[in-house]
Amino acid sequence: APANDTSTASPGGASPAASATCAKDQLPLTTPGKLTIGTDKPAFEPWFKNDDPSNGQGFESAVAYAVAQKLGFTKDEVTWAVVPFDSSFAPGPKKFDFDVNQISISPERQKAVDFSQGYYAVKQAVVALDGSKFAGATTLAELKDAKIGVQAGTTSLQAVQRVIQPTSDPSVYNQQIDAISALKNKQIDAIVVDLPTGFYVTAAQVENSKIVGQFAATGETPEEFGLLLQKGSGLTSCVDKAVGDLKASGELATIETQWLTGSAGAPELK
Amino acid sequence: MTGGEASPGAPTPSDDSAASVAPEVPTGSDGPVASATSEGPAASAAASEGSAVPPALAEWTKSDRQIRREADLRRRARRSTSVATASTIVVATVLIVGVTASPGWPRVQETFFSPSQFVDAFPDVWRGFLLNVKIFLIAEPLILIVGLVVALVRTLRSPVFFPLRAVAVFYTDIFRGIPTILLIYLFGFGIPALALQGAPSDPVTLGIIGLVLSYGAYVAEVFRSGIESVHPSQRAAARSLALSHGQTMRYVVVPQAARRVIPPLLNDFVSLQKDTALVAVLGPLEALRQASIHAAETFNYTPYMCAALVFIALTVPMARLTDHLAARTARRQMAGGHL
Amino acid sequence: MTGGEASPGAPTPSDDSAASVAPEVPTGSDGPVASATSEGPAASAAASEGSAVPPALAEWTKSDRQIRREADLRRRARRSTSVATASTIVVATVLIVGVTASPGWPRVQETFFSPSQFVDAFPDVWRGFLLNVKIFLIAEPLILIVGLVVALVRTLRSPVFFPLRAVAVFYTDIFRGIPTILLIYLFGFGIPALALQGAPSDPVTLGIIGLVLSYGAYVAEVFRSGIESVHPSQRAAARSLALSHGQTMRYVVVPQAARRVIPPLLNDFVSLQKDTALVAVLGPLEALRQASIHAAETFNYTPYMCAALVFIALTVPMARLTDHLAARTARRQMAGGHL
Amino acid sequence: MSLLTVEGVWKNYHHHSVLRGIDLEVAPHEVVCLIGASGSGKSTLLRCVNLLESIDDGAIYLDGSEITDVRIDPDDVRKRIGMVFQSYNLFPHMTVLDNVTLAPRKVHKVRPEQAEAEARELLARFGLADKAGEYPDRLSGGQQQRVAIVRSLATQPRLLLLDEVTSALDPTLVTEVLSVIRELKDAGMTMIIATHEMSFARDIADAVCFLEGGVLLEHGSPEQIFTAPEHPRTRGFLQRVLDAGRL
Amino acid sequence: MSLLTVEGVWKNYHHHSVLRGIDLEVAPHEVVCLIGASGSGKSTLLRCVNLLESIDDGAIYLDGSEITDVRIDPDDVRKRIGMVFQSYNLFPHMTVLDNVTLAPRKVHKVRPEQAEAEARELLARFGLADKAGEYPDRLSGGQQQRVAIVRSLATQPRLLLLDEVTSALDPTLVTEVLSVIRELKDAGMTMIIATHEMSFARDIADAVCFLEGGVLLEHGSPEQIFTAPEHPRTRGFLQRVLDAGRL
Ligand SMILES: Nc1ncnc2c1ncn2[C@@H]1O[C@H](COP(=O)(O)OP(=O)(O)OP(=O)(O)O)[C@@H](O)[C@H]1O
Ligand SMILES: Nc1ncnc2c1ncn2[C@@H]1O[C@H](COP(=O)(O)OP(=O)(O)OP(=O)(O)O)[C@@H](O)[C@H]1O
Ligand SMILES: [Mg+2]
Ligand SMILES: [Mg+2]
């Protein structure tokens, strides 16, 4: 996952400037009549399937279409735009109506962009090769001396720095493939990714690897992914409401169980 | 374009018949000025720069001594060449065997040199590469213009132009100092953020702006050094003909400078060709980005090799051309030419 | 190091007293060979290259005409300079007002120039930058060695060395053609994947290997052009003294080439300084990576400005030094010097 | 009235004076040769006359009007003066014809066809008719200098300055250039010639000036200067030239 | 026995022969001057003798043994021959002293102190004692050429080749270099001198060779060559030099 983030976040920090109605024809869209949704390329499993966000498969693709439906758009009225993580938060006009890219909500980020309320509460997990030195770790303290790799632009890095506080600087890679190559090459001892990605990595990407464990919730507010919108966007309240409705109706939970493995089987690291 | 076709000093077949051990030289007649055909001492002097008279090789028959000597030389050359070749082959073989026999080789081969991955990635990488080429083709002329203008501003010597010159110096200093990728970030995300009427927001355009400003600073310096390398006497000669500063630059200095800067310029363009990949940070799917997408998808680095190949296919010929031109320039300068 | 301290031709205070409208010149005595002190024509000839005799300015009193002329000149210069300055200021002001008055300016200011973000990011960026500097300092000497060796191999003219030369040519061509970042990928992930005994796996080391091989190819070309720019007569002079090819290179050609290539070399080092950032793809936290981490965390680009600043702080002085040296070299070459 | 008047001209570089109050008059159709050791200021004087250098004192008049006045456009002056240098004279990226027609076309705004016709005529007059299309580096040194002279004549200058036009030439090529200059004298061209060729100076000059250390030490007819120099320094200089086998 | 024997030497460049069967003998202590127009092959011949060029036919013997044999190490030959070029002679990055001591130290393995002492002695002998610490570009052209000669003498060569050592010099600087060569002749040095200075050649040479188009057309005593040249081409050449005021 290119930009899956965790950090303390207040869920649903929606803009108060909510437009009165969320009628489809009154929404201020980038392209009239179309809902443009952004995500990075490639789009990773389990969030998307086959690097094709428009197939409705994968967790985030399904969520995006569910939100679109709530806003009154048919599948045909949804278009996808490639938005690299770095440019998703660039100031200025956006080429998407909202961006779904495993972006964690944080107060700092909310100064720059709008978020919907969270659609997924994420936890970080540690992945190591079977039989490696740190594969049997059960506590965070045991991981202190590990050389840990993370992906740039994710909040896994902050999690590592705050929770594990390793003795040596973590390695930060542009892409997950690089982190995984380094793991395979034994240049690093473990990688930290969000839990769904972790499951996917161990199941499909790295043979003989295992999830060492997941981080315990850090106390305060849980880390959540939110949909990203232009700062002050007129869509924010509607999108936020749509997510809220999905949550309330249990639809979101259904999508989650369909596409994401549960957190069972990943012991919590103390 | 009258006459002058037969270059003096070069032997022509018709000379052979007349050639003898002491070949004929046109003896000095009256002054060269009087003779409208420019024969006489002038012509013979020109010819004598090549060699007093075109001597043909025909009359030379190799002596036995020379034939023996050359056979000797060939034998010695053959011996040492084969030693060298053999040792090179041995070293190369050891290297190749060492790498391919290493425990990780199958994995490396699979990860970096997978033919099927190559075939899969190639169309996309190629499509991306066309974008690189497009960016390059648009950026290059703009860079040349920016570079030339800035360089010309820096040649203005009068104190009147101090502020302008200061701007040019500031520009070249700062923009050479910042990593190109940062400039692309800055322009790519900064200009749209200003939300100005009519400001471009297309990432490719913005990336090109960043590249132009970054490379413009380099090219300005290249042009400036080229301009300064033109011998001051050329400038004096032009000014003494009452050409103005602008005319001197335009007709005399810049054309000569342009030829001299072609090699370093091409060097910069080889780099530019590679740095078009940086525009990827703004989103466009150029070759490297396409390769990295494929790599990320398949967890295989072969697409990068694919990208390396398309880049090499363009940059190596360009680099060779550069070398060739540089060598020619150097030869020219050695030959001196100028009286 | 005997004598020769008083440079001939330069006026010394003691000359002033003796100076007259027609200053004294040592008249030619016997031949210079006989006189052990090298006075006589030789010395006077040397002096006359500066000027026949050091003429002091003391005796020159400005005429009224000249005083008026200079006042006139100053007046004209002042007028045009102020016009130029005013217009520059106007343009600059319009530009600044235009940007800051744009609707997006407050957002831009907040996103790119936030002091608090700057303060937050600076320590990490600085720490990262120290790694850049370290990589640079290790890579630089290695690059010089690789470049020099490859360049020297390419100067070998004998056919015996053909295979070696071929390897050198192949190396420079390929490694100049591939984007540096690709080389770093290849070495950074390829070498550890080989799982060879004793092969390095530390990303910084691997990154340095990639940089060295990439820049080594460039620097080899720079050295080669420097070596070829040494006038062939210098080589002939050395060989005629019975120095071997190696000795000629070592004592005569390379020292002269080294001086000439300093400017282009420094140029390459400015680029290297910036390209150390590419090692980030292998994991190390250098300045640009630190900046991007901060930017991703806060969705604010100010950390990039922070990185730009630390880079400028190093590259601009280096670029200025390069320019200065290049200008000095150019002046030297103009002066000609060599008989 | 004299064509050119140089009046108390000083020129300083950094810490020394290269010209130290030069006075010189050149009448129309007169040929003046400047002689003197290397560094005596011959080239500098010529460059000052052509306004390629600013002077530090004194004044220079051409046709009676001051050309060193700050209000004068140097290019207007240079239109009336031709100059040929020791070396690096021709523009190597242009053909002989382009070299010759550049100034007429761009400065004097002569129509291209006319400029070309005139240039060809001049080239033919100096035995270079068949070189019009050549690039300078295909010419011998002597031919190059002849083209340079033709180029400076193409704008019909009032005054021609020649700065050691033969000293970069192989001795066997010198003759052809010198005979061009002789022909110009016969055609009535006013010239100032800095030269190391004493025999030529003696032969062609109406007046010879001996410079040393930026001072015009002696000025007279060639007979007087070469056979009975007044100043001991002139004698010393000529003696040294004689020793080198060059008189 | 002759010191140097050149026997039927040919040298080809691309499509023409620059030397066309040169035969020449130089006895010990003899001074041979090569004269001829530019491009006649003087420099090429000297370069062949010093093995800076390979020859295409013929043979060259030094002290009776063939130096053009393929088994001979050229550096061994060059140790016994000194050569001074027209220009770009000195190494600009070394002081005069280092220029002079380089070959003795690195090639002849003389101890540094001894090399320096000998170099200083030689420099003093040629009036350059106080220039030992200077860099070449601080010297006048004449001084530079004198240093170049000293440098080639420092390895005590059997034979000295001088290639137009004065033609890049200002005429007023020529004398000092020529007098050095005169002194060398008096000291008994064997020399081959390519020169354009006819009066000097007449004065110093034991034998003069006239080259044209790579052929040694005439070889004789200076009196014979300069006053009664046999070959009409020699006469033509000398006439042209005379026209240029250089005899
Ligand atoms: N641009 C300059 N800066 C400093 N000094 C200069 C400059 N140009 C010339 N000079 C000095 O001015 C003096 C006179 O030079 P000039 O070229 O006029 O002499 P010249 O008589 O023409 O000599 P030559 O016969 O060698 O051409 C010399 O001492 C020279 O070093
Ligand atoms: N490296 C080379 N390649 C091709 N031709 C060459 C080369 N070197 C010399 N020549 C040619 O060989 C001929 C003889 O040249 P050389 O330098 O020996 O003449 P020279 O008598 O020394 O002339 P000068 O008086 O000008 O020094 C000339 O025609 C020249 O062009
Ligand atoms: Mg001069
Ligand atoms: Mg020669």
Side-chain angles (χ1 to χ4, degrees), chain B residues 11 20-25 48-52 55-57 59-63 65-66 69-70 72-73 76, chain E residues 7 10 12 14-17 20 38-39 55-59 61 66 68 70-71 212-213 215 217 231 233 240:
Chain B
S20 69
V21 174
E24 286 182 272
V25 179
S48 75
E49 253 164 64
S51 73
L57 283 175
E59 23 166 335
W60 172 52
T61 47
K62 254 179 217 175
S63 66
R65 169 160 54 194
Q66 183 63 16
R69 183 186 285 150
E70 286 176 7
D72 228 16
L73 272 172
R76 293 164 67 92
Chain E
E7 217 177 81
W10 283 76
N12 306 322
H14 311 299
H15 295 298
H16 67 281
S17 301
R20 303 157 63 77
S38 195
I55 60 176
D56 289 305
D57 207 339
Y61 302 85
E66 188 186 342
T68 43
V70 291
R71 273 163 296 270
E212 186 169 278
V215 178
L217 277 190
H231 207 288
R233 302 205 172 291
R240 262 177 292 140

Side-chain angles (χ1 to χ4, degrees), chain B residues 107-122:
Chain B
R107 246 202 69 210
V108 169
Q109 194 178 18
E110 175 51 32
T111 329
F112 286 94
F113 307 99
S114 153
S116 67
Q117 296 288 352
F118 189 94
V119 170
D120 274 3
F122 190 81

Side-chain angles (χ1 to χ4, degrees), chain E:
Chain E
M1 195 188 70
S2 66
L3 180 72
L4 181 84
T5 307
V6 176
E7 217 177 81
V9 164
W10 283 76
K11 173 72 194 172
N12 306 322
Y13 281 123
H14 311 299
H15 295 298
H16 67 281
S17 301
V18 173
L19 296 180
R20 303 157 63 77
I22 300 279
D23 291 305
L24 177 67
E25 301 239 336
V26 181
H29 312 302
E30 194 182 18
V31 174
V32 175
C33 280
L34 305 178
I35 63 171
S38 195
S40 55
K42 304 182 294 298
S43 301
T44 307
L45 178 56
L46 295 183
R47 292 169 63 85
C48 285
V49 168
N50 204 11
L51 303 187
L52 288 173
E53 304 281 357
S54 63
I55 60 176
D56 289 305
D57 207 339
I60 303 175
Y61 302 85
L62 184 67
D63 283 326
S65 63
E66 188 186 342
I67 60 176
T68 43
D69 188 295
V70 291
R71 273 163 296 270
I72 295 284
D73 176 4
D75 288 335
D76 279 338
V77 176
R78 295 195 196 113
K79 282 183 194 169
R80 290 178 286 155
I81 303 179
M83 180 150 181
V84 182
F85 300 83
Q86 172 176 356
S87 53
Y88 294 104
N89 249 311
L90 299 181
F91 305 134
H93 60 299
M94 294 182 181
T95 61
V96 164
L97 191 66
D98 288 341
N99 261 285
V100 175
T101 58
L102 179 69
R105 280 184 293 127
K106 301 299 173 191
V107 179
H108 299 260
K109 310 291 178 198
V110 177
R111 275 181 303 103
E113 314 83 67
Q114 193 191 335
E116 181 177 336
E118 288 173 6
R120 286 192 185 280
E121 202 181 298
L122 263 177
L123 286 171
R125 188 171 137 217
F126 292 103
L128 295 161
D130 56 342
K131 304 293 178 196
E134 290 284 15
Y135 283 88
D137 57 5
R138 305 273 320 253
L139 302 183
S140 78
Q143 289 169 334
Q144 287 185 37
Q145 282 302 38
R146 275 150 64 202
V147 172
I149 294 171
V150 165
R151 184 178 65 180
S152 68
L153 293 175
T155 55
Q156 297 165 336
R158 305 269 292 129
L159 172 66
L160 197 57
L161 310 175
L162 302 172
D163 190 5
E164 291 178 31
V165 289
T166 58
S167 63
L169 295 181
D170 184 283
T172 54
L173 302 175
V174 171
T175 337
E176 58 174 287
V177 175
L178 296 187
S179 40
V180 168
I181 299 174
R182 245 177 231 115
E183 156 144 318
L184 288 177
K185 179 188 161 84
D186 296 344
M189 175 61 75
T190 316
M191 292 185 277
I192 308 180
I193 306 175
T195 185
H196 282 309
E197 304 281 341
M198 297 306 149
S199 53
F200 172 72
R202 172 152 57 182
D203 185 37
I204 199 173
D206 297 312
V208 174
C209 299
F210 173 66
L211 269 78
E212 186 169 278
V215 178
L216 206 160
L217 277 190
E218 197 160 354
H219 182 166
S221 71
E223 295 74 42
Q224 188 238 309
I225 299 274
F226 287 110
T227 54
E230 276 175 13
H231 207 288
R233 302 205 172 291
T234 317
R235 273 198 297 277
F237 172 75
L238 291 173
Q239 185 57 47
R240 262 177 292 140
V241 173
L242 191 65
D243 288 346
R246 293 287 164 76
L247 201 74

Side-chain angles (χ1 to χ4, degrees), chain C residues 9 47-52, chain D residues 12-14 16-19 35-47 53 86 163-164 167 194-196 211 214, chain E residues 170:
Chain C
S48 76
E49 254 165 62
S51 73
Chain D
N12 307 322
Y13 282 124
H14 311 299
H16 67 281
S17 300
V18 172
L19 296 181
I35 63 171
S38 194
S40 54
K42 303 183 295 296
S43 301
T44 307
L45 178 55
L46 294 184
R47 293 168 63 84
E53 303 281 357
Q86 173 175 356
D163 190 5
E164 293 178 30
S167 62
T195 186
H196 283 309
L211 270 79
Chain E
D170 184 283

